Amino acid sequence: MSNPRILILGPPGAGKGTQSANIAEEYGVEHVTTGDALRANKDMDISDMDTEYDTPREYMEAGDLVPDAVVNAIVDEALNSADGFVLDGYPRNIEQAEELEGMTDLDVVLSLDVSREELVDRLTGRRVCDDCGANFHVEFSPPEEAGVCDECGGDLIQRDDDNEASVRNRLDVFDENTAPVIDHYEGHAGFVAIDGEQAPDGVWGDIRDAIEAETA
Ligand code: AP5
């Protein structure tokens, strides 16, 4: 089999980014993440797409979805050039799921399940490296030296949308728009629900077992 095409679903803070990094390293596939792509292009001019705001920044800082046309174009381009991938952050509504079906087939669909209060704790305590993007948590996965990245020595910062008000809005947006996407994929070949509330190594063990079983 060629490199696997993996979709990872789950609410904000479920560990999609953390586990996608493991998957990309273990299976040699590309990590395609709409969140990182949009953060790198927060101030791009999208006014010609007939959107409410002129850049992605306003949507993201509030925790709202960036318009579909912007995100669909990012994913289409990234998947076109990828030899196997783990797709993280997309699709986030049924319209995006339908769009994805026209772009690619999927070998494995992982759904991480975590309770709401755990998600709030994970997101408000997350710190990311401003230089290399490595992910930490002040309590669950602290760096050796507070505020300093273990990987590259860069500064650790809090994402603009990891304050409690934005986090709670992101979880409401997930319940309204993205939970139906998970229901939509439940009958898909290769769908596996993962208990995301375990420690990161436990989650990774279950994910690796699921990928091995679904791609055997
Ligand atoms: P995006 O960047 O995709 O954010 P998200 O979905 O809210 O997901 P997160 O990155 O916050 O969480 P995660 O599941 O990756 O968790 P992580 O591994 O970091 O999107 C941001 C914004 O961009 C959206 O709000 C929207 O505006 C826009 N956008 C993106 N895609 C879009 C789309 N398709 N359509 C429209 N708009 C879009 O883990 C979180 C923390 O928990 C970390 O600190 C980590 O160390 C810790 N942790 C992880 N696993 C565990 C564990 N098992 N136990 C304890 N702690 C853990």
Side-chain angles (χ1 to χ4, degrees):
M1 180 181 197
S2 52
N3 281 335
R5 296 162 295 184
I6 300 167
L7 173 62
I8 189 163
L9 298 165
K16 303 183 298 295
T18 302
Q19 299 300 337
S20 293
N22 292 333
I23 294 170
E25 190 180 339
E26 177 94 6
Y27 295 99
V29 295
E30 193 164 329
H31 181 193
V32 176
T33 151
T34 48
D36 284 357
L38 288 166
R39 270 184 291 283
N41 293 285
K42 262 189 173 177
D43 294 314
M44 74 178 164
D45 184 358
I46 56 172
S47 56
D48 61 338
M49 291 183 173
D50 196 23
T51 50
E52 184 182 356
Y53 300 112
D54 290 345
T55 69
R57 175 181 293 277
E58 290 87 348
Y59 298 96
M60 297 178 77
E61 288 184 357
D64 291 329
L65 296 184
V66 174
D68 289 351
V70 178
V71 188
N72 292 339
I74 289 172
V75 175
D76 196 21
E77 190 183 334
L79 295 189
N80 258 325
S81 59
D83 175 19
F85 56 81
V86 52
L87 177 58
D88 156 18
Y90 182 97
R92 275 175 135 93
N93 58 32
I94 291 292
E95 292 75 18
Q96 292 182 11
E98 287 167 353
E99 196 72 24
L100 179 62
E101 272 151 31
M103 293 182 207
T104 184
D105 290 331
L106 298 166
D107 303 307
V108 186
V109 180
L110 303 165
S111 173
L112 299 181
D113 197 18
V114 180
S115 66
R116 188 177 177 105
E117 283 317 304
E118 168 82 9
L119 295 169
V120 173
D121 289 346
R122 286 189 188 179
L123 291 170
T124 53
R126 172 169 53 191
R127 299 293 181 271
V128 290
C129 177
D130 204 16
D131 289 339
C132 73
N135 214 326
F136 298 86
H137 189 281
V138 290
E139 186 185 344
F140 306 139
S141 172
E144 278 173 25
E145 187 184 339
V148 180
C149 178
D150 290 350
E151 310 285 329
C152 75
D155 290 337
L156 299 185
I157 58 164
Q158 187 169 31
R159 260 169 54 173
D160 293 333
D161 61 349
D162 277 348
N163 64 80
E164 190 162 343
S166 295
V167 164
R168 291 199 182 273
N169 185 48
R170 284 159 62 198
L171 294 173
D172 290 344
V173 168
F174 171 84
D175 287 344
E176 191 175 329
N177 297 277
T178 315
V181 172
I182 294 177
D183 297 341
H184 171 84
Y185 279 106
E186 262 179 12
H188 191 287
F191 180 90
V192 185
I194 303 283
D195 174 8
E197 197 123 353
Q198 310 170 74
D201 286 351
V203 179
W204 171 230
D206 285 0
I207 286 178
R208 203 174 32 204
D209 289 349
I211 294 172
E212 298 297 334
E214 296 301 331
T215 58

